[in-house]
Amino acid sequence: MLTSIAMILLLGLLVGWIFSKCRLPSLLGMIIVGIILSPYSLNLIDESILMISGDLRQIALVIILTRAGLSLDISDLKKVGRPAVFMCFLPACVEILGTVVLAPILLKVSVLEAAIMGSVIAAVSPAVVVPRMIRLIDEGYGKNKSIPQLILAGASVDDVFVIVVFTVFTALASTGKMSISSFIQIPISIVLGIILGSGVGILLVLFFKKNHMRDSVKILIILSISFLLLEVQNRLEGSIPISGLLAIMSMGIMLKQKYDVLASRLSAKYNKLWIGAEVFLFVLVGTTVDLKYAESAGIFVVLLIIGALIFRMSGVALSLVKTDLSKKERLFCMVAYTPKATVQAAIGAIPLSIGLDCGNIVVTVAVLSILITAPFGAICIDNLYKRLLEK
C-alpha cells in the first residue's frame, strides 16, 4: 500500500507539473497517470488502495467543498438571485433531455436507457470547477457580478439533483416502477442538507469563539464533523433524504458568515490540504477508466457527448436570461459548466453492476465524458477567464 501511495503522489505531482508547464490542466496529467497505473493497464496500484478509492475520492470532495463554503459569501450570492437557482437544475435537465433525443438515434438505445445515460453524464465536476472559481474570487475576476459564486453554488447543488434523478431512472429500469416520492426527495434533501450544515456551522462558531485552540486542531474537528455529516446521509438513506455534501458546504458558508476572520485562515490551510487531495482524487478517477470501452465506442459516442454538451451550454444560457451579464460573461459561464469527472467515475458503472442491458454503453459514455470534458472545461476556464471576465 505504501508503495502505491508513493507512486500516486510522486507520479501525479510530476506529470501534473509537466502538463501545467505545457499550459495544460495538471488534472489531465493526473488522470493519465491513473489510467496507466490502473488494473486495466499496468496494474501497479495495490488492491487495498483500489478497495477504498471511493472513500479517498470522497475525502478529497469534502476538502474542496468545505474550502468552497469558506470562500462563498452569501451576500454575493443573494445579488445573483434567480439565475443561481436555475443553474442548480436547468442545465442538467436540458442535457438529460438532449441525451434522450440524441442517444436513441446515435446508439440505438431505448428512451429509458438514454435517460439513464443522460443522468450519468449530466453532473458537473466540483473537483474541476470549485478550485478554479475560488481562484477567480481570490484574483477578483467576475467579482462585481458574482459570477464565480454563481457557478460555485450551482455546481454543488447540480450533483445532488442529478444523482437523485439517476437513482430514479435506474430503479425504473430494474424494477419497472417509478416512485413519485423519489422526485420529491430532491428538494427535501437539498433543504435538509442546508439546514443541517448551517446549524452545525453556527454551533462550531460558538464553540471556536469560546475555546481557543490552534487552527490545525480546528481543521481536524471540521474534517471529522464533515465525515459524520456524510455518515448521517448514509444512515438516513431510505427514510429521510438529506445531502451530506451540501451540509458540508453550508457549514463552511456559515463559518464564513459568522466568523470571517477564522474562515480566511482556515481557507488558507484547506488550500494546502487540497494539494495532496487533488492528486489522489484525479489519479484515482483515472484508475476507474477502462480504455477498452473507449476504444470500442466509435465516433457516435463522441458525437453524443459533444451534442449533450451543446444542450448543457444552452441550459446555462437559458438560466442567465434577463441578467445583466455581457455576452462574454455568459460565454464564460457556459464553458465553465462543462467539466465532468468525479460523479461519472462514481456512478458510471452502477447500471453494469446491477445487470442492466445498457450497462456497457453507459460505462463507455461515462469514461469518454471524463476524458473529453474534464480537460476541455479546465482548459477553457484557465485560458479564457482573463479575457471574458472583468477584474
Side-chain angles (χ1 to χ4, degrees):
M1 179 187 282
L2 294 179
T3 304
S4 296
I5 291 172
M7 282 195 298
I8 289 170
L9 289 172
L10 292 174
L11 291 176
L13 288 169
L14 174 62
V15 179
W17 176 78
I18 292 170
F19 269 68
S20 63
K21 286 296 179 183
C22 297
R23 306 191 78 122
L24 292 168
S26 59
L27 68 89
L28 180 56
M30 295 171 192
I31 290 174
I32 290 172
V33 168
I35 292 172
I36 293 169
L37 298 178
S38 75
Y40 309 108
S41 186
L42 298 181
N43 195 22
L44 294 178
I45 295 183
D46 192 280
E47 190 176 338
S48 57
I49 292 284
L50 296 174
M51 288 175 64
I52 60 168
S53 65
D55 294 321
L56 293 173
R57 293 201 303 270
Q58 199 158 42
I59 290 170
L61 272 180
V62 165
I63 290 170
I64 196 58
L65 286 176
T66 309
R67 183 182 167 207
L70 293 169
S71 304
L72 191 57
D73 195 329
I74 286 292
S75 59
D76 289 335
L77 201 55
K78 285 178 181 176
K79 287 191 286 185
V80 180
R82 173 186 53 83
V85 177
F86 283 157
M87 289 284 276
C88 295
F89 67 91
L90 188 56
C93 286
V94 174
E95 185 170 10
I96 293 171
L97 177 62
T99 308
V100 168
V101 171
L102 296 174
I105 299 170
L106 294 171
L107 304 178
K108 309 302 180 187
V109 296
S110 69
V111 171
L112 179 56
E113 289 171 340
I116 292 171
M117 205 175 294
S119 61
V120 167
I121 64 174
V124 73
S125 173
V128 180
V129 172
V130 169
R132 285 166 171 78
M133 293 307 109
I134 293 172
R135 188 177 72 207
L136 265 60
I137 292 171
D138 292 341
E139 294 182 16
Y141 283 93
K143 194 174 181 180
N144 58 335
K145 295 181 182 176
S146 303
I147 293 170
Q149 290 87 341
L150 166 69
I151 296 171
L152 263 181
S156 303
V157 180
D158 171 278
D159 284 0
V160 178
F161 173 77
V162 168
I163 289 169
V164 175
V165 171
F166 167 78
T167 305
V168 172
F169 286 143
T170 49
L172 177 61
S174 56
T175 65
K177 297 178 182 178
M178 180 181 288
S179 171
I180 300 298
S181 63
S182 299
F183 285 105
I184 298 173
Q185 287 179 9
I186 297 172
I188 294 174
S189 65
I190 291 170
V191 171
L192 289 181
I194 293 171
I195 291 172
L196 175 62
S198 300
V200 171
I202 291 171
L203 291 174
L204 280 175
V205 168
L206 295 173
F207 178 75
F208 289 149
K209 284 185 175 180
K210 286 185 178 180
N211 299 277
H212 295 286
M213 61 191 74
R214 296 175 63 181
D215 286 346
S216 302
V217 177
K218 292 173 184 172
I219 292 286
L220 291 175
I221 292 171
I222 293 170
L223 275 175
S224 301
I225 290 174
S226 298
F227 301 150
L228 290 175
L229 289 173
L230 289 177
E231 185 60 22
V232 168
Q233 173 186 318
N234 294 333
R235 290 291 179 92
L236 296 179
E237 191 172 359
S239 54
I240 302 174
I242 189 165
S243 170
L245 291 176
L246 261 186
I248 290 165
M249 188 170 175
S250 301
M251 177 178 65
I253 291 172
M254 195 54 62
L255 284 166
K256 169 77 173 173
Q257 289 297 111
K258 302 294 184 182
Y259 203 169
D260 188 38
V261 175
L262 175 63
S264 299
R265 297 202 309 267
L266 295 180
S267 182
K269 289 192 177 292
Y270 267 95
N271 288 347
K272 295 173 183 176
L273 278 178
W274 175 243
I275 294 171
E278 180 184 33
V279 178
F280 268 102
L281 176 62
F282 289 112
V283 171
L284 291 174
V285 165
T287 62
T288 66
V289 174
D290 187 349
L291 288 180
K292 289 180 183 176
Y293 289 126
E295 288 171 8
S296 63
I299 190 65
F300 292 114
V301 173
V302 177
L303 290 175
L304 172 66
I305 293 166
I306 293 171
L309 273 189
I310 293 169
F311 271 89
R312 182 177 190 83
M313 293 167 76
S314 303
V316 175
L318 285 173
S319 302
L320 301 176
V321 168
K322 293 187 178 180
T323 61
D324 61 349
L325 270 62
S326 67
K327 288 181 180 179
K328 286 184 176 181
E329 290 165 337
R330 290 171 196 243
L331 176 60
F332 176 80
C333 291
M334 289 162 70
V335 296
Y337 228 51
T338 58
K340 319 292 177 67
T342 40
V343 174
Q344 287 69 31
I347 67 174
I350 289 177
L352 181 63
S353 66
I354 62 176
L356 296 184
D357 293 338
C358 61
N360 277 326
I361 190 65
V362 170
V363 170
T364 303
V365 172
V367 167
L368 281 178
S369 71
I370 295 170
L371 295 178
I372 293 170
T373 64
F376 170 78
I379 289 168
C380 286
I381 295 170
D382 292 346
N383 291 283
L384 295 178
Y385 76 94
K386 290 183 179 178
R387 301 179 193 176
L388 301 180
L389 302 180
E390 294 179 8
K391 186 170 184 179

